[in-house]
Amino acid sequence: MEFVSGYRDEFLDFAALLFGWFRKFATERGAVGASLEGRWRPLETQIRRLPQDPALWVLHVLPNRNVGISLGQGAEPGPGSGLGAAQFLGDEPPLHLRDLSPYVSFVSLEEGEEAEEEEEEEENGEGEGAGLEKVDPDKTGAPAPTSRDSPQEANPPGRPEEPEQEAGGGSGGQDCCREDKAEDEAVPERRKGRRSEAAPLHLSCLLLVTDEHGTILGIDLLMDGAQGSAGKGSGPENLAPRAYALLCHSMACPMGSGDPRKPRQLTVGDAQLHRELESLVPRLGVKLAKTPMRTWGPRPGFTFASLRARTCHVCHRHSFEVKLTPCPQCSAVLYCGESCLRADWRRCPDDVSHRFWCPRLAAFMERAGELATLPFTYATEVTSETFNKEAFLASRGLTRGYWTQLSMLIPGPGTPRHPRGSTPSLSLLLSGDPYQLLQGDGPALMPPVPPDPPRSLFGSWQDYYTWRGLGLDSPMAVLLTYPLTVYYVITHLVPQSFPELNIQNKQSLKIHVVEAGKEFDLVMVFWELLVLLPHVALELQFVGDGLPPESDQQHFTLQRDGPEVSVRPGSGVSGRLSSGTKEKGGRRDLQIKVSARPYHLLQGPKPDLVIGFNSGFGLKDTWLSSLPRLQSLRVPAFFTESSEYGCVMDDQTMAVATGGGTSPPRPNPFRSPFRLRAADNCMPWYCNAFIFHLVYKPPQGGGARPAPGPAPQAPPPAAPPAPARRRRGEKKPGRGARRRR
């Protein structure tokens, strides 16, 4: 039983859904030039009988001039079934967007444009560029779209920024798309010959169907380029049939969520396409707006909704393809039918089969209510299985700074991603506020620092919020879960599990944050540790090969000295940041160091404490070397996980790597309130949900390792249908660590 919920970038699930739906649509659509009467008459009859959706549907026409798709050697050619779709799902899916770089990547088509233009100007005085590059509307005479030139629209299909644009510029969309296409076809053959065979594909136009709330219902990609055949027949004369086919498929098989349905009314963001669809859309029993989308604009809180389409745990088919149901006994895992459930039940060896895990997963599901018990006013919304995170963030203006790390918004090609880079926070803290990156678009989210340090230790979000002056409607817990978890480990868990260290009386602490990635992206949230522990000088060293190489050996210090806060990078450049309060006592500081390498390759003095967030020992091979390194150091090492399932898998990996184990996991009172999306299961996943510490193998090799708390033992349920009988004792005791998928 293997899950990657909580560890996998949400954008990858989003991309897998887009390409999965597009692959199904392209297969069923058939040839673009096929007769509408021949292929869509039967479907029209079915659509006319569908229930009506009261929401307005929108057909967007989004030309793209700036971004190309580059296929690596590991990808099959073409945007259909081979455009990285096999790499999104399957036996070993990627966990991070960068893992797809060998197969598919998005590149700026403007790179190198200047060089080509200079060369062409010398030859013929024209600066139009190659066929895949941007066309200047001022030179071609094409109408300049009012809202379609920004790079956001040229991002990978389904970028959430697209609906944020003003919809009034729709009248020029198709004309722009078609003129780009015509100019692409007019490129001299000699110019094409200069390009390498690996030239990027050009996504010339994107047809997108959404409802007025932002839910994506269908997508079609119009591709140019020599690779693949999806671009064939995508000329101007075929745009209306393609758009009509897309509308039919979106109604019969909506991508986002919900049953098949037809809209009450449809509006089109392109004048010419609107005219061509006037005679087609009424066939479906759908009312077409009288005029194309000109004055209608996105509602104030409009954003692409977090898609809730699920997948079968075994075959990975999406919910728009098959009906998914959870296991009838544990209600934790989703299957498309009896055959997949039976296959998962009988997997070998026995300890990876659903038969083995079913009673354990049922016990994990019973913790859902406990994990959702939080004091916040928005707790019911954010702990729901249908939680729409993108809408939550957008409705509260949480669309900049560190809040973008929680969203599916990604930077376009060539856009630097902050805050990664060389001392990134220095250049962004222009106002002198250490909490600037934690702010949204509205009023300040973090109140001034209390004048007096805490008089007691906090053990819950409610106690901390009360002292800090935060209202229970504040979403700051989502970002502050990292420093508050460190605080909880220092003040509660280390004194309980390692009282001999007397950690609460130390005036300085050296802490290693291992396998860091997102935590370094949010580095300034750890400033709150100086507020909570003003008597301690802290050094945080972020270690991991996932850190940006340019940040390796970076070192800077945040200091609280009287009424001001100063930042001193290792290079010597300094800035003065006002804290807004008079600090009692002596000078304390927070040192930040970065080592972009696996932990077992780190050289230096022994730390006082090691902490890892949402570790996933079984997901990365370097843990098989890093855990023995920790075993040799024998320092207190605490780790969080996003689910109890992850804790069990970490204990198994620790046993394989060192012969040791882990302590019984306990719920983290400072876990993030946001429930994480799970594609193939219904288990509760939260960032930093559980905490445990490593239990090292006794020195000299004597004695057995201290066993963690026993896993819930329940008799294996009867198989649905009856599985082949297998004795539990037949599994091999010396099995190797397995990668979770």
Side-chain angles (χ1 to χ4, degrees):
M1 183 64 62
E2 299 167 340
F3 302 96
V4 295
S5 304
Y7 311 101
R8 177 177 162 96
D9 287 349
E10 187 178 6
F11 186 82
L12 291 177
D13 288 332
F14 179 74
L17 174 62
L18 289 177
F19 281 105
W21 192 93
F22 175 68
R23 183 174 64 247
K24 181 177 186 295
F25 166 61
T27 301
E28 297 181 0
R29 179 189 61 198
V32 175
S35 169
L36 285 177
E37 283 69 16
R39 295 193 61 86
W40 299 103
R41 282 291 186 184
L43 188 57
E44 290 172 356
T45 304
Q46 299 176 18
I47 292 176
R48 282 195 294 267
R49 292 196 291 261
L50 291 177
Q52 193 174 75
D53 187 347
L56 172 72
W57 284 23
V58 184
L59 173 60
H60 305 267
V61 183
L62 306 174
N64 166 46
R65 302 177 180 183
N66 302 328
V67 173
I69 301 175
S70 177
L71 300 181
Q73 295 182 355
E76 301 173 18
S81 61
L83 188 58
Q87 281 72 40
F88 288 118
L89 300 169
D91 292 338
E92 291 192 6
L95 299 179
H96 306 289
L97 193 61
R98 63 177 180 269
D99 297 336
L100 284 181
S101 56
Y103 306 101
V104 59
S105 59
F106 298 93
V107 297
S108 173
L109 297 178
E110 293 182 328
E111 295 178 0
E113 180 180 1
E114 296 180 0
E116 291 220 13
E117 288 182 351
E118 290 177 359
E119 182 178 349
E120 291 165 13
E121 285 176 358
E122 293 177 359
E123 295 177 359
N124 52 28
E126 296 179 358
E128 297 172 354
L132 298 181
E133 299 179 351
K134 185 175 180 180
V135 178
D136 189 348
D138 294 333
K139 295 183 180 181
T140 61
T146 60
S147 63
R148 297 183 177 180
D149 291 336
S150 62
Q152 284 87 345
E153 300 159 359
N155 281 324
R159 273 289 303 273
E161 296 102 325
E162 290 166 354
E164 298 291 336
Q165 60 191 312
E166 178 64 28
S171 61
Q174 185 183 1
D175 297 334
C176 175
C177 176
R178 293 175 178 179
E179 294 203 18
D180 287 349
K181 174 70 179 177
E183 295 216 9
D184 289 345
E185 292 174 351
V187 173
E189 197 67 30
R190 58 172 180 79
R191 200 176 302 169
K192 296 180 182 178
R194 286 202 302 264
R195 289 187 171 272
S196 66
E197 295 181 358
L201 297 174
H202 181 207
L203 173 61
S204 61
C205 194
L206 176 68
L207 297 178
L208 192 67
V209 180
T210 71
D211 65 13
E212 62 186 67
H213 306 295
T215 302
I216 302 178
L217 303 167
I219 187 173
D220 193 7
L221 313 176
L222 279 68
M223 304 292 297
D224 294 331
Q227 300 182 13
S229 58
K232 296 179 180 179
S234 60
E237 69 280 0
N238 290 296
L239 191 58
R242 288 188 73 137
Y244 184 73
L246 176 63
L247 289 170
C248 291
H249 203 75
S250 301
M251 298 175 198
C253 182
M255 180 196 305
S257 61
D259 296 325
R261 59 198 184 276
K262 62 183 180 182
R264 171 187 57 84
Q265 188 176 24
L266 173 73
T267 183
V268 182
D270 180 87
Q272 183 175 346
L273 185 58
H274 179 275
R275 292 192 297 270
E276 294 174 351
L277 291 176
E278 284 180 340
S279 61
L280 298 175
V281 172
R283 297 183 185 179
L284 306 174
V286 175
K287 181 181 178 181
L288 184 66
K290 294 182 179 180
T291 58
M293 185 171 55
R294 292 179 181 273
T295 59
W296 180 88
R299 295 183 176 183
F302 183 81
T303 180
F304 276 167
S306 300
L307 297 181
R308 296 184 291 272
R310 298 289 189 87
T311 61
C312 173
H313 177 64
V314 176
C315 67
H316 310 297
R317 286 192 291 177
H318 285 92
S319 54
F320 58 76
E321 300 175 271
V322 291
K323 183 179 180 180
L324 301 176
T325 55
C327 169
Q329 302 194 37
C330 69
S331 301
V333 188
L334 295 173
Y335 301 100
C336 65
E338 182 179 337
S339 59
C340 283
L341 173 58
R342 186 182 307 171
D344 201 30
W345 191 271
R346 296 176 176 177
R347 290 178 63 184
C348 294
D350 185 64
D351 62 349
V352 300
S353 67
H354 187 62
R355 179 180 181 273
F356 177 84
W357 279 98
C358 191
R360 292 160 176 80
L361 298 182
F364 300 161
M365 290 290 291
E366 293 176 358
R367 305 292 289 269
E370 178 184 358
L371 294 175
T373 303
L374 294 164
F376 309 112
T377 58
Y378 51 82
T380 301
E381 176 185 358
V382 301
T383 58
S384 168
E385 275 194 83
T386 59
F387 170 45
N388 187 347
K389 182 178 64 176
E390 300 297 329
F392 180 92
L393 296 174
S395 65
R396 288 162 174 78
L398 306 177
T399 56
R400 63 184 181 93
Y402 282 161
W403 297 102
T404 60
Q405 302 289 337
L406 306 176
S407 172
M408 287 192 296
L409 300 178
I410 63 172
T415 304
R417 180 171 185 175
H418 297 294
R420 285 193 174 185
S422 180
T423 54
S425 303
L426 282 177
S427 61
L428 297 179
L429 291 175
L430 302 178
S431 67
D433 181 5
Y435 299 106
Q436 179 178 349
L437 290 169
L438 281 66
Q439 299 302 117
D441 294 330
L445 296 177
M446 287 298 289
V449 176
D452 297 315
R455 296 182 179 180
S456 60
L457 301 178
F458 304 130
S460 69
W461 279 122
Q462 180 133 18
D463 293 342
Y464 166 75
Y465 264 49
T466 301
W467 173 79
R468 197 61 171 82
L470 290 165
L472 292 179
D473 59 345
S474 170
M476 289 304 301
V478 182
L479 295 177
L480 295 177
T481 177
Y482 295 99
L484 267 295
T485 296
V486 176
Y487 167 82
Y488 183 66
V489 169
I490 294 173
T491 58
H492 288 74
L493 300 187
V494 173
Q496 293 175 13
S497 302
F498 303 91
E500 67 278 5
L501 297 180
N502 199 21
I503 194 170
Q504 290 177 309
N505 293 328
K506 289 182 176 290
Q507 295 187 353
S508 63
L509 286 175
K510 184 188 296 290
I511 302 174
H512 287 177
V513 182
V514 297
E515 289 299 332
K518 181 183 294 186
E519 302 80 42
F520 179 65
D521 287 348
L522 304 174
V523 64
M524 286 304 295
V525 301
F526 292 97
W527 167 258
E528 190 68 6
L529 287 172
L530 288 187
V531 178
L532 292 165
L533 302 171
H535 63 286
V536 181
L538 293 170
E539 177 186 305
L540 296 182
Q541 184 163 358
F542 295 87
V543 186
D545 56 357
L547 294 170
E550 63 271 16
S551 298
D552 191 29
Q553 303 303 316
Q554 185 180 113
H555 178 201
F556 58 98
T557 304
L558 309 178
Q559 293 178 337
R560 301 192 66 178
D561 190 5
E564 291 187 334
V565 178
S566 65
V567 181
R568 291 191 301 104
S571 60
V573 180
S574 63
R576 305 297 293 181
L577 308 178
S578 173
S579 66
T581 183
K582 175 95 173 175
E583 181 69 23
K584 295 183 178 181
R587 165 174 162 174
R588 293 293 181 263
D589 56 29
L590 173 63
Q591 295 190 56
I592 304 294
K593 296 183 178 180
V594 185
S595 297
R597 65 199 65 189
Y599 189 74
H600 63 277
L601 299 180
L602 179 68
Q603 302 294 326
K606 181 178 178 179
D608 299 299
L609 180 64
V610 171
I611 292 179
F613 296 101
N614 306 300
S615 310
F617 291 169
L619 290 172
K620 199 170 183 182
D621 293 337
T622 54
W623 281 113
L624 296 178
S625 300
S626 297
L627 291 174
R629 169 68 172 164
L630 290 171
Q631 166 84 27
S632 65
L633 294 175
R634 306 190 72 83
V635 296
F638 286 81
F639 296 89
T640 69
E641 275 293 358
S642 51
S643 72
E644 280 187 286
Y645 169 82
C647 297
V648 173
M649 299 302 296
D650 289 350
D651 178 68
Q652 293 182 5
T653 306
M654 179 66 179
V656 170
T658 69
T662 63
S663 66
R666 64 176 70 190
N668 178 11
F670 294 105
R671 60 189 173 274
S672 169
F674 280 11
R675 182 164 180 164
L676 301 176
R677 182 184 180 276
D680 61 350
N681 66 88
C682 303
M683 286 187 288
W685 301 78
Y686 295 85
C687 179
N688 300 325
F690 293 89
I691 305 181
F692 62 87
H693 66 81
L694 299 186
V695 178
Y696 299 120
K697 183 178 179 180
Q700 311 300 328
R705 74 177 178 104
Q713 296 294 330
R725 303 291 295 176
R726 182 185 299 275
R727 291 180 300 172
R728 297 273 292 280
E730 291 179 351
K731 62 180 182 180
K732 297 181 180 180
R735 64 184 187 277
R738 298 180 178 85
R739 294 177 61 87
R740 281 176 285 172
R741 297 188 283 277

